Protein backbone atom coordinates (compact mmCIF):
# COMPACT_ATOMS: atom_id res chain seq x y z
CA UNK A 1 0.00 0.00 0.00
CA UNK A 2 1.74 3.22 -1.11
CA UNK A 3 1.83 5.85 1.63
CA UNK A 4 3.64 9.03 2.59
CA UNK A 5 3.87 10.09 6.23
CA UNK A 6 3.68 13.64 7.58
CA UNK A 7 4.17 15.08 11.02
CA UNK A 8 3.09 18.51 12.23
CA UNK A 9 3.09 19.89 15.76
CA UNK A 10 1.79 23.07 17.37
CA UNK A 11 -0.82 23.54 14.67
CA UNK A 12 -3.32 26.35 15.24
CA UNK A 13 -6.43 27.58 13.48
CA UNK A 14 -10.23 27.58 13.44
CA UNK A 15 -11.97 25.01 15.62
CA UNK A 16 -8.98 24.46 17.88
CA UNK A 17 -9.69 23.34 21.46
CA UNK A 18 -9.85 26.22 23.94
CA UNK A 19 -7.21 24.73 26.25
CA UNK A 20 -4.50 25.22 23.59
CA UNK A 21 -2.24 28.24 24.11
CA UNK A 22 -3.39 30.47 21.22
CA UNK A 23 -7.17 30.23 21.71
CA UNK A 24 -6.69 30.28 25.47
CA UNK A 25 -4.65 33.49 25.24
CA UNK A 26 -7.33 35.13 23.11
CA UNK A 27 -10.09 33.97 25.47
CA UNK A 28 -8.29 35.24 28.58
CA UNK A 29 -7.61 38.58 26.88
CA UNK A 30 -11.26 38.97 25.91
CA UNK A 31 -12.33 38.13 29.49
CA UNK A 32 -9.79 40.55 30.98
CA UNK A 33 -8.13 37.72 32.88
CA UNK A 34 -4.43 37.20 33.47
CA UNK A 35 -2.99 34.06 31.87
CA UNK A 36 -0.60 32.03 34.00
CA UNK A 37 2.15 30.37 31.95
CA UNK A 38 3.52 27.00 32.98
CA UNK A 39 7.27 27.14 33.58
CA UNK A 40 7.19 30.89 33.08
CA UNK A 41 6.51 30.44 29.36
CA UNK A 42 10.16 29.70 28.62
CA UNK A 43 9.63 26.61 26.48
CA UNK A 44 10.38 27.22 22.81
CA UNK A 45 8.02 26.18 20.02
CA UNK A 46 7.41 26.56 16.33
CA UNK A 47 3.74 27.28 15.55
CA UNK A 48 2.12 26.68 12.17
CA UNK A 49 -1.35 27.50 10.83
CA UNK A 50 -3.60 24.67 9.64
CA UNK A 51 -3.80 26.23 6.14
CA UNK A 52 -0.03 25.92 5.80
CA UNK A 53 -0.13 22.32 7.06
CA UNK A 54 -2.91 21.51 4.59
CA UNK A 55 -1.06 23.07 1.64
CA UNK A 56 2.15 21.23 2.58
CA UNK A 57 0.30 17.93 2.99
CA UNK A 58 -1.31 18.28 -0.44
CA UNK A 59 2.03 19.14 -2.09
CA UNK A 60 3.72 16.21 -0.34
CA UNK A 61 0.94 13.82 -1.39
CA UNK A 62 1.28 14.93 -5.02
CA UNK A 63 5.08 15.04 -5.26
CA UNK A 64 6.65 12.61 -2.76
CA UNK A 65 7.83 9.11 -3.33
CA UNK A 66 6.07 6.33 -1.45
CA UNK A 67 7.53 5.61 1.98
CA UNK A 68 8.93 9.09 2.61
CA UNK A 69 8.34 10.89 5.92
CA UNK A 70 8.05 14.67 6.16
CA UNK A 71 8.07 16.99 9.17
CA UNK A 72 5.90 20.06 8.51
CA UNK A 73 7.09 23.07 10.47
CA UNK A 74 8.37 26.64 10.23
CA UNK A 75 11.82 28.06 10.85
CA UNK A 76 10.49 30.60 13.35
CA UNK A 77 10.84 29.44 16.95
CA UNK A 78 9.44 31.52 19.82
CA UNK A 79 9.00 31.08 23.53
CA UNK A 80 5.45 30.65 24.73
CA UNK A 81 5.86 33.96 26.58
CA UNK A 82 6.82 35.73 23.33
CA UNK A 83 3.81 34.21 21.61
CA UNK A 84 1.42 35.36 24.34
CA UNK A 85 2.92 38.87 24.44
Amino acid sequence: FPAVFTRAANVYGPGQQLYRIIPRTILFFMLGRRLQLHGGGLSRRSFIHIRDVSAATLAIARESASGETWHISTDEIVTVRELVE
Side-chain angles (χ1 to χ4, degrees), residues 2 4 9-10 16-18 28 31 35 40-41 53 61-62 79:
V4 175
N10 301 311
Q16 189 173 27
Q17 301 93 343
L18 293 179
F28 273 57
L31 295 173
L35 179 65
V53 174
R62 288 180 173 161
T79 65

Side-chain angles (χ1 to χ4, degrees), residues 51-85:
R51 276 187 242 129
D52 296 323
V53 174
S54 298
T57 301
L58 182 59
I60 290 166
R62 288 180 173 161
E63 300 171 18
S64 287
S66 181
E68 289 185 340
T69 301
W70 292 80
H71 180 76
I72 303 170
S73 185
T74 69
D75 292 332
E76 187 175 349
I77 299 173
V78 297
T79 65
V80 172
R81 177 172 291 283
E82 292 168 335
L83 176 75
V84 168
E85 289 173 348

